Structures are given as structure tokens and as C-alpha cells.
Amino acid sequence: MEFQRDKSFVSGRLKSFKFAFNGAWKLATTEHSVMVQLSIGAMMTAAGFYFKISMTEWMFQTFAIGLIVAVEGLNTAAEKIADFIHPEYHEKIGFIKDIAAGAVMFAALTGVAIGAMIYVPKFL
């Protein structure tokens, strides 16, 4: 079966959105780390409503949640590709996976810092 490229801009974008939505759904429903991140994001969103955070705080919080979930998704994709290419343990594959996990850690630490800057003053 040969892939047919959609030459229409609108229908091509709609198909792209469908693929992206399917990928996001698979990520959110099959990957436990993403489920955890989305749950934390939902709790932080609820906290934002509870504490009536400012528009600027909402922007930073929304950015942090999106950043963390996006980097987690890229990490998952890198791990799946690595496992597909080399299913058994390999030192270089392990190195690649560690780097991808490190990127998630940087994103998560950024999220924690943003959350602390927003919410710690509300408790003091």
C-alpha cells in the first residue's frame, strides 16, 4: 500500500491533527509516567483556580505543564525507537535513554521551580 500525500491544505492539516490527537491519546492512556504528569498538571490547575492565581501565573503554569508533558512524550518516543532498534540491553542505547530521561528531569525541575514561585508565597 503506497502512501498518498494529501495535496489539499485544509484536509491535510485536519489529517495531521487527527494523527497528533491519536498520538496524544495513546501517550496519555498507555504511558504511566505521562499519566502521573497529567495528574499533577490537573492538580496544579485545580490549585490555580483555588488560589485565584494571576494571568501571568497561569501563563507560566500552563507553559510548565505543557513543557513537562511534551518532553515526557519525546522521551517516550526516543525510548520506543531505541527499544525497537535494539531490544536487548546495549550500553549506547542505555546512554541515549539516560540523556532523554535527563531532559525530562530538567523540564520537571523547571516545573517545580515555577510551581514553587507561584504557590510558596500563597502559604507564607
Side-chain angles (χ1 to χ4, degrees):
M1 182 173 129
E2 189 176 316
F3 177 72
Q4 292 283 328
R5 175 165 246 142
D6 191 334
K7 297 196 186 328
S8 168
F9 180 78
V10 174
S11 64
R13 299 301 58 81
L14 290 173
K15 285 181 183 175
S16 293
F17 180 77
K18 180 183 173 191
F19 294 139
F21 182 82
N22 286 341
W25 181 255
K26 288 175 187 175
L27 194 60
T29 58
T30 64
E31 296 300 318
H32 293 284
S33 58
V34 175
M35 291 176 199
V36 169
Q37 300 295 358
L38 288 172
S39 297
I40 292 169
M43 288 187 284
M44 297 309 292
T45 300
F49 285 114
Y50 179 80
F51 287 105
K52 296 178 176 57
I53 63 177
S54 71
M55 183 61 71
T56 302
E57 291 168 329
W58 273 115
M59 286 190 306
F60 281 107
Q61 179 169 293
T62 302
F63 177 79
I65 293 167
L67 173 71
I68 293 165
V69 175
V71 174
E72 189 73 64
L74 292 172
N75 176 53
T76 299
E79 287 184 351
K80 299 287 185 192
I81 291 168
D83 290 344
F84 179 76
I85 292 170
H86 206 291
E88 329 56 71
Y89 176 79
H90 190 279
E91 187 176 331
K92 288 184 180 180
I93 295 291
F95 183 80
I96 292 165
K97 288 179 165 186
D98 288 347
I99 290 172
V104 174
M105 186 186 78
F106 283 126
L109 290 174
T110 300
V112 167
I114 290 170
M117 286 184 262
I118 293 171
Y119 293 105
V120 167
K122 307 220 183 294
F123 289 102
L124 297 179

